[in-house]
Amino acid sequence: MMAKKLDKVDVVVVGSGWSGGIVSAELSKAGYKVVTLERGENRKTADYTGVKDELRYTNRFEMMQNLSHETITSRNEINETALPVRTQGEMMAGTDLGGGGVHWAGASYRFDPYDFEIYSKTVERYGKKKIPEDMTIQDWGITYDELEKYYDKFDKMAGISGEEDPLGPKRSSDYPNPPMKETPNLRLFKDAAKNLGYHPFQIPSGNITENYENPDGQVINQCQYCAFCTQYGCDFGAKADPIVTVIPAAKETGNFELRTQSYVRRVLHDGGKANGVLYVDTVTGQEYEQPADVVVLAAFTFTNNRLLMLSEIGEPYNPKTRKGVIGRNFNGQYNNSHLGARGFFKDKKFNLYMGAGALGATFSDFQADKFDHTDLDFIHGGQIEIRQYGDGAIASNKVPKGTPKWGPEFKENSIFYANRNLNLWYTNAVMSYWHNYLDLDPTYKDDFNDPLIRITNKFTDQDFNISKFGIKKCKEVLKEMGADIIDEDEIPKKFNHVYFGGHYTGGVIMGDNPETSAVNNYLQMWDVDNLFVVGGSAFPQFGGIHPTPTIGALAYRASEGIEKYLKNGGQLATAKDNSSTA
Amino acid sequence: MSDKYDKDNEKDVNTNDKDGVSRRRFIKNTGLVAGGVVGGSLLGGVVTNQWNTTPDKDTQTKGNKTTPELQDARMFFSRKEDFEVLKAATERIFPEDDNGPGAVELGAPYFIDKQLAGQWGSNAKAYMRDPFKQGKQVQDYEHQDRDQDKQGPHSDTQNPTPTPRYQTRLNRGEMFIQGLRKLDKESQDRFKKKFIDAEGDQQDEILEAFEKGEVQMKGVEATTFFNLLLQTTLEGVYADPVYGGNKNMQGWVMKEYPGPRAAYINDIESDDFIKMEPKSLRDYQG
């Protein structure tokens, strides 16, 4: 069947999550004709109203990618055969309108200034020897101060509710809404942290604390702390997500067309210029060619990488020569991050069934390079966090170590401790390495017989050591909180191919050198001026905290770049020859 | 009969619980589990009428638990004997005790039957293409300690049980049928009797052998089947009653879990534990 060629538009955007949603809103507001393609289904708040169903959303992954059509393959070592990640229990990636921006928890931090200049600042303070040979961290090609105004834009669009981190980076304006409520367990955590000399504060939240109208005129409602938040769409339109903010803002311009169930297969290009995209309407099977002046890949990390590889754009990364850029520096926070300890309280009972995705408290004393690493066997850091998501009845089966996994003792303890346990974790940063990367799988294919993306990923000493440090701190705080039993998380020795949490990034990373980065600091490809690749795929390594506002800020930055390109054309950044990496 | 569960009340440190009678007995005697707010708190006027549901006679449960509900029939397991093994196994995993009913009374086996009859049981959203390589052929995934699966971002909302790497061509329904028959065969081999006729300790011994992967199944590790059995049993105990388990919300009652609610904004700062009569999706959706 021949692809049907459609009329050219100014901008075609692939993906409708935070990245695609922000780019769509900004460019359609600026008067450009935008078509956004979403592989999933159309969604609105009504889809998430009245369906507070733990089994369906948490255990059966209602809002996650249907892996029967397409998944990823995974291995630890370069010489292993990768196997497909087959079930949704092993792989979490959002789908449908709004993408991961709908099911997210709402934790809305900024990365630390250190993150953006991690290579330079680490060398400056500790010397080159501090960075292991295997580690391929690099500066982002943009500083925190340069990115701050885009963070500010994201915070205001999303109505972020928070209070200032006493040790946090400089902000140009206060949070648009006050912080979330302080519950007894959060107070217990904060008091303990203060006693130990730390600086706790409420987690900045995308669950909005007051009815809020954002600068685009979109309204976000007040969070009800209903507990059905992370992995759910919001019942009340009270979580900042693309379907209550940027998508309607784009629609109101009259310049925006959304096409759902539209699965993009290729970026069409010749002579170093992108001409548009080839996509399939998954309802009819009809193929379409959508020409555009600018192509924006704003899908999930895996899709951004895979579309570039399938379309043969940019030089694929080769781990043997360590040359090439597409697929380089795959990174992310999954099961070697967010380890900590769980405290069990015999005489204290908390309302753990109440909560919200970003309800919690934290301190950043052990974040980034705020503490001296001279005598430590790792770089960077993270935050100690306590969260109150609102435990579902299936999830709240936490028992002290030594309890059998089933039978009478399990039943007794799981019921007794259901509302008597608190978890702390360390949101540690994850560095990049030459041996962790993405390419196309030689064996496994998708519905259209295109190769799946293959992940090669293993843990390192840095991962182990930073987790060990964080777990110790979590334990210290839980002890001060008066927990009767404290169980430490075990640090996995080997990556077990479970992709949980949605925080996988890199592969199309940004920087100031085309040898080591795929996109410049406007997320514009060095190789193709009219192709922008926006999203977590641009992270050269992962910061010490949750990623969403950074992804949002980069999308605002990219939007500005796309507008500049549409006006003037050309490369928007100057490549530097002096490599900022080892 | 119901008095045996009154311990639930004795060890409750809840300060807001004003109902003097056993919650279990209360629900049984009155049949009122929906709409009424007992010893809990009201929603505080923050929600619209959409969520202000009144007791609905359709949602009131029968006081007499011996009356089977009409949806309690097998739709996946054609052989009754397979289902009987399932019942016995789930009850060992989540037994009746002083806290309250076990897996069978809570309807977990029917829950599992319904799950396997649907898209999840046939792995409709899983990647099921060749080549399949069993764990041991490539790496010994199945026997790794899986505790770390409970960690990572959002671990609090993760599955209660570990997730072994799924590398079998069997779908979940097929895995269950083979696994249950293997449980029975193992009992015949070890004790010369059917699994359902074995003593509790003997049943536990067999289940432990599956948990540790000591039993050979065809095309799948016994551990994988056991973990699936464990996961679905707990889901059947605690998932919303709409799925056929958690009968009369008695799983939630044991855990003092209130079910889906519109709002806790007025309660969440409370220093005391607040116990609410549970409501189900049926109540919530109105």
Side-chain angles (χ1 to χ4, degrees):
Chain A
M1 186 162 41
M2 280 284 288
K4 200 163 152 186
K5 192 161 181 175
L6 301 168
D7 292 339
K8 191 174 183 183
V9 294
D10 296 320
V11 184
V12 63
V13 180
V14 181
S16 69
W18 273 129
S19 292
I22 287 169
V23 169
S24 301
E26 290 304 289
L27 290 158
S28 58
K29 275 158 49 184
Y32 296 101
K33 294 290 176 194
V34 178
V35 164
T36 296
L37 304 171
E38 164 58 46
R39 68 181 174 182
E41 290 177 36
N42 204 344
R43 289 285 183 236
K44 53 183 186 174
T45 297
D47 285 301
Y48 304 113
T49 301
V51 284
K52 296 175 188 288
D53 181 342
E54 185 186 13
L55 185 80
R56 180 175 175 187
Y57 288 88
T58 299
N59 298 77
R60 300 287 180 266
F61 307 97
E62 174 76 12
M63 295 177 70
M64 304 306 160
Q65 183 177 333
N66 179 341
L67 302 182
S68 71
H69 304 301
E70 180 202 331
T71 184
I72 58 176
T73 70
S74 181
R75 62 180 180 174
N76 294 123
E77 303 282 347
I78 289 170
N79 56 7
E80 283 174 352
T81 302
L83 296 181
V85 176
R86 295 188 184 274
T87 65
Q88 292 175 310
E90 303 158 84
M91 154 81 165
M92 186 171 170
T95 192
D96 297 337
L97 187 63
V102 182
H103 75 247
W104 75 310
S108 300
Y109 300 88
R110 298 172 176 191
F111 280 180
D112 191 86
Y114 171 75
D115 277 304
F116 300 100
E117 299 167 88
I118 187 168
Y119 180 81
S120 309
K121 289 196 168 180
T122 305
V123 170
E124 189 185 308
R125 188 168 173 184
Y126 306 104
K128 276 196 174 188
K129 279 188 180 158
K130 189 73 182 169
I131 301 172
E133 195 273 332
D134 285 347
M135 200 184 270
T136 50
I137 55 171
Q138 63 192 54
D139 295 354
W140 291 50
I142 195 165
T143 64
Y144 173 82
D145 287 345
E146 288 166 329
L147 202 57
E148 202 282 336
K149 66 173 175 177
Y150 307 104
Y151 270 127
D152 190 58
K153 232 173 161 175
F154 178 82
D155 283 358
K156 286 172 178 155
M157 177 276 292
I160 302 305
S161 306
E163 61 186 357
E164 187 128 11
D165 174 359
L167 307 177
K170 202 174 72 217
R171 302 176 54 87
S172 58
S173 51
D174 290 337
Y175 284 102
N177 285 301
M180 298 201 88
K181 289 176 184 293
E182 193 180 74
T183 62
N185 31 324
L186 303 190
R187 203 175 310 123
L188 184 66
F189 168 82
K190 285 178 166 178
D191 288 346
K194 277 181 210 156
N195 292 344
L196 294 166
Y198 306 137
H199 301 81
F201 60 100
Q202 287 292 97
I203 293 176
S205 169
N207 322 132
I208 308 311
T209 52
E210 291 177 356
N211 288 343
Y212 175 72
E213 186 179 328
N214 78 8
D216 293 330
Q218 304 303 321
V219 174
I220 311 174
N221 296 324
Q222 183 185 41
C223 172
Q224 302 299 309
Y225 300 85
C226 78
F228 290 81
C229 194
T230 307
Q231 292 184 254
Y232 300 81
C234 184
D235 199 341
F236 308 103
K239 172 159 69 174
D241 70 33
I243 61 178
V244 299
T245 56
V246 287
I247 299 292
K251 279 184 183 162
E252 283 171 15
T253 65
N255 295 322
F256 170 73
E257 190 193 337
L258 171 71
R259 296 182 200 144
T260 53
Q261 294 171 293
S262 299
Y263 184 85
V264 177
R265 293 191 56 203
R266 293 290 185 281
V267 177
L268 303 167
H269 63 104
D270 61 56
K273 202 161 189 274
N275 301 318
V277 298
L278 177 77
Y279 74 94
V280 180
D281 178 328
T282 58
V283 178
T284 61
Q286 174 68 49
E287 274 198 335
Y288 292 96
E289 190 180 323
Q290 177 59 64
D293 286 329
V294 170
V295 174
V296 182
L297 297 184
F300 198 63
T301 298
F302 299 140
T303 302
N304 281 355
N305 275 277
R306 184 163 174 260
L307 281 175
L308 291 174
M309 292 174 196
L310 290 174
S311 309
E312 299 180 346
I313 296 174
E315 192 190 344
Y317 173 68
N318 180 343
K320 288 184 179 117
T321 59
R322 304 199 192 180
K323 299 227 183 305
V325 287
I326 308 302
R328 180 172 181 270
N329 276 27
F330 174 69
N331 62 81
Q333 286 181 316
Y334 28 99
N335 56 11
N336 60 339
S337 183
H338 292 73
L339 303 180
R342 187 176 297 277
F344 295 88
F345 298 78
K346 288 183 174 150
D347 304 320
K348 284 195 180 81
K349 211 168 164 188
F350 308 97
N351 289 304
L352 296 182
Y353 60 84
M354 307 177 186
L359 177 61
T362 185
F363 58 86
S364 71
D365 298 65
F366 301 108
Q367 174 64 282
D369 203 33
K370 292 179 189 183
F371 55 117
D372 185 12
H373 290 67
T374 306
D375 298 322
L376 296 173
D377 48 9
F378 61 90
I379 59 167
H380 211 307
Q383 296 192 189
I384 309 292
E385 270 191 352
I386 183 170
R387 299 287 274 270
Q388 188 174 349
Y389 286 117
D391 289 350
I394 304 169
S396 61
N397 277 303
K398 303 295 188 290
V399 289
K401 269 183 191 165
T403 306
K405 284 180 179 157
W406 52 280
E409 195 186 339
F410 167 79
K411 184 181 176 186
E412 178 70 28
N413 280 351
S414 60
I415 289 170
F416 181 76
Y417 285 112
N419 290 296
R420 292 180 172 93
N421 76 90
L422 299 176
N423 190 50
L424 306 187
W425 63 28
Y426 191 49
T427 64
N428 61 264
V430 179
M431 300 297 100
S432 292
Y433 303 88
W434 70 269
H435 50 69
N436 292 349
Y437 70 103
L438 304 169
D439 65 356
L440 293 175
D441 192 274
T443 308
Y444 294 97
K445 306 277 197 281
D446 72 2
D447 273 356
F448 301 99
N449 218 28
D450 281 330
L452 300 181
I453 198 148
R454 173 171 68 178
I455 296 170
T456 306
N457 183 60
K458 64 178 175 184
F459 297 153
T460 64
D461 291 346
Q462 153 86 20
D463 296 321
F464 189 84
N465 297 338
I466 196 171
S467 293
K468 201 171 146 194
F469 176 87
I471 289 167
K472 211 173 110 193
K473 296 293 169 196
C474 291
K475 208 175 156 185
E476 179 196 10
V477 179
L478 276 168
K479 201 174 161 197
E480 183 69 23
M481 288 165 73
D484 296 298
I485 302 167
I486 302 173
D487 284 344
E488 291 180 32
D489 286 342
E490 281 164 37
I491 307 174
K493 288 182 181 60
K494 198 171 170 185
F495 174 51
N496 67 354
H497 312 284
V498 174
Y499 293 81
F500 210 89
H503 299 177
Y504 344 106
T505 49
V508 194
I509 66 175
M510 59 194 289
D512 58 14
N513 181 350
E515 299 284 309
T516 53
S517 60
V519 294
N520 65 28
N521 65 18
Y522 282 100
L523 292 301
Q524 179 188 32
M525 286 213 55
W526 292 114
D527 292 350
V528 185
D529 289 351
N530 68 334
L531 176 57
F532 290 73
V533 187
V534 188
S537 55
F539 289 12
Q541 54 278 325
F542 208 98
I545 199 65
H546 315 282
T548 300
T550 304
I551 288 171
L554 290 179
Y556 279 109
R557 168 81 179 172
S559 304
E560 195 182 293
I562 295 161
E563 216 181 320
K564 275 189 185 185
Y565 175 83
L566 283 163
K567 282 184 183 140
N568 307 314
Q571 266 292 317
L572 302 169
T574 315
K576 281 180 189 158
D577 288 336
N578 55 326
S579 171
S580 60
T581 66
Chain B
M1 172 69 191
S2 63
D3 285 340
K4 65 189 267 207
Y5 298 116
D6 280 0
K7 277 191 181 171
D8 184 39
N9 252 36
E10 286 164 23
K11 69 174 186 193
D12 185 30
V13 298
N14 166 31
T15 52
N16 291 43
D17 186 23
K18 295 187 184 76
D19 51 340
V21 294
S22 153
R23 294 160 56 78
R24 184 166 164 80
R25 188 167 56 196
F26 173 81
I27 287 162
K28 278 188 160 181
N29 291 351
T30 64
L32 188 89
V33 293
V37 177
V38 181
S41 78
L42 293 161
L43 295 174
V46 291
V47 290
T48 64
N49 285 334
Q50 188 182 350
W51 291 290
N52 280 338
T53 56
T54 48
D56 177 341
K57 67 178 165 54
D58 291 346
T59 68
Q60 294 183 18
T61 52
K62 298 274 180 261
N64 181 2
K65 72 166 184 182
T66 59
T67 306
E69 296 186 41
L70 298 180
Q71 67 267 36
D72 283 356
R74 287 174 279 116
M75 56 200 280
F76 175 78
F77 291 106
S78 47
R79 294 187 197 168
K80 189 175 183 218
E81 66 235 44
D82 293 340
F83 192 69
E84 293 299 322
V85 175
L86 177 66
K87 278 162 78 174
T90 57
E91 187 68 15
R92 293 313 294 175
I93 288 170
F94 197 86
E96 179 173 341
D97 69 0
D98 290 346
N99 289 293
V104 171
E105 192 183 332
L106 289 164
Y110 284 112
F111 164 90
I112 293 169
D113 179 82
K114 285 172 174 45
Q115 286 294 303
L116 297 178
Q119 59 88 0
W120 189 76
S122 50
N123 289 26
K125 291 185 178 179
Y127 186 81
M128 297 298 283
R129 290 167 203 239
D130 278 316
F132 285 87
K133 291 186 180 177
Q134 270 294 294
K136 277 195 237 176
Q137 278 176 251
V138 180
Q139 276 165 297
D140 194 15
Y141 296 114
E142 308 280 354
H143 291 126
Q144 281 178 31
D145 185 351
R146 293 284 163 183
D147 280 353
Q148 68 259 35
D149 292 353
K150 293 186 175 179
Q151 297 154 1
H154 319 316
S155 67
D156 275 1
T157 53
Q158 258 183 271
N159 280 341
T161 50
T163 318
R165 203 169 186 197
Y166 199 108
Q167 294 295 340
T168 170
R169 63 173 63 247
L170 300 182
N171 67 31
R172 297 180 182 96
E174 292 163 337
M175 202 187 295
F176 255 96
I177 287 177
Q178 191 197 138
L180 294 173
R181 289 177 191 168
K182 189 78 185 173
L183 279 173
D184 206 37
K185 182 163 187 310
E186 198 64 21
S187 180
Q188 301 276 11
D189 290 350
R190 289 186 191 219
F191 309 116
K192 310 273 180 279
K193 49 187 160 183
K194 288 181 175 179
F195 186 82
I196 57 168
D197 296 329
E199 299 297 321
D201 289 351
Q202 294 172 325
Q203 291 175 335
D204 287 353
E205 183 189 310
I206 294 167
L207 288 167
E208 273 165 32
F210 274 74
E211 184 179 18
K212 290 177 185 155
E214 292 165 358
V215 175
Q216 288 301 309
M217 285 177 62
K218 194 175 175 185
V220 64
E221 300 284 329
T223 306
T224 305
F225 163 66
F226 180 83
N227 284 337
L228 197 60
L229 174 67
L230 172 56
Q231 177 196 334
T232 48
T233 302
L234 294 177
E235 287 169 354
V237 166
Y238 292 120
D240 193 280
V242 70
Y243 293 101
N246 188 14
K247 290 281 180 216
N248 299 347
M249 299 181 279
Q250 288 299 291
W252 290 351
V253 169
M254 282 188 278
K255 222 174 217 179
E256 298 173 309
Y257 178 73
R261 298 279 175 147
Y264 297 120
I265 189 167
N266 295 330
D267 297 321
I268 196 157
E269 289 164 298
S270 165
D271 282 320
D272 299 319
F273 185 76
I274 299 173
K275 198 162 157 178
M276 303 182 188
E277 285 303 316
K279 287 188 176 193
S280 73
L281 270 177
R282 180 68 184 85
D283 307 307
Y284 186 70
Q285 291 176 0

